[in-house]
Amino acid sequence: MDTDALRDQLAACHEDAFAWAVHCCRRDRRDAEEVLQTVYLKILDGRARFDGRSALLTWLFAVIRRTAADHRRRRLLRDWWHVAPGEGEAVASSNPGPDRELHDSEQRDALSGALTRLPERQRQVLLLVFYHGCTVEQAAAVMGVGVGSARRHYARGKERMRALLEELGWTE
Amino acid sequence: MDRMKREANDDQLRRIFAELRQGDQGPVPPFERVWATAAARTGRRPSRVRWAVATACAAAVVVVAVILLHRPSGSDFAAATQLVAWRSPTAALLRVPGDDILRAVPSIGAALMRFETLQPAADTP
């Protein structure tokens, strides 16, 4: 696939890609934009190549997930290097958390709270399936795990999510 | 029954996530801007060759530093020479008569001791 055709397809799924990047960056939209920019840079550089073995969106989501994980690691390292002892709390509080954007709805607060309390894999598979409309197989490809493993995370995630929502007082 | 319950639960989760998605309708940075910024960054990244050269140089510096740190000093060398030159005071007691035979390698076909016969040779008139 040539660059122009790929660019057009990427433009078509840009919104979905950004939404997934936001989730991978713990709902920090600025970080998500940086991550997406790095993903496009990887594509332009040829470090990320679409070989057509999966759907474009699945491949793109997988690249975003890996890039966001790298970005998070680099940021942790940078914060650890630059932040003097005692300043950590101030930096953490300046970081927009999931609750800030969803404070207008108690129910959404409860949901976002429950999501943040889920283990990483369970959170990712639930978001991919229920939020982004992927199948469990596609979610497995994005997460870089086997389908069996993804199914286990999916089942456990749903159970845990229900328990957390009940605990947090979720009402329909 | 179990399946119905599971499906009802899945539907509930779908509704919950749909609501979350509705609440997430924030501004999305335009694709053109993000793509253009990424394209502008393409030349700035150090190439793999540069990384490889930098890594090789760093490795060479480490190797030289390790060699310099572990190089034997002058006093170590003198001690080693003394150790090699040392002989036991009782080494002379280990020498016995004929131990040259034990040290030398015998050659094939040759006797260690030579015997001479007193009989004259048969063809002597």
Side-chain angles (χ1 to χ4, degrees), chain A residues 107-108 110-112 115 130-131 161-162 165 170-172, chain B residues 9-22:
Chain A
Q107 288 197 325
R108 272 190 267 126
L111 175 57
S112 105
L115 269 174
F130 289 112
Y131 192 101
M161 187 73 186
R162 272 192 289 274
L165 288 173
W170 173 274
T171 49
E172 273 203 283
Chain B
N9 283 332
D10 283 5
D11 285 345
Q12 185 200 14
L13 281 177
R14 252 180 222 108
R15 276 197 299 277
I16 291 170
F17 275 91
E19 193 169 327
L20 180 70
R21 198 179 171 120
Q22 262 187 337

Side-chain angles (χ1 to χ4, degrees), chain B residues 10 19 21-22 32 35-36 54 69-70 75 81-82 96 107:
Chain B
D10 283 5
E19 193 169 327
R21 198 179 171 120
Q22 262 187 337
E32 296 300 333
W35 184 264
L69 284 173
H70 291 276
S75 59
T81 316
Q82 276 184 340
V96 291
S107 53

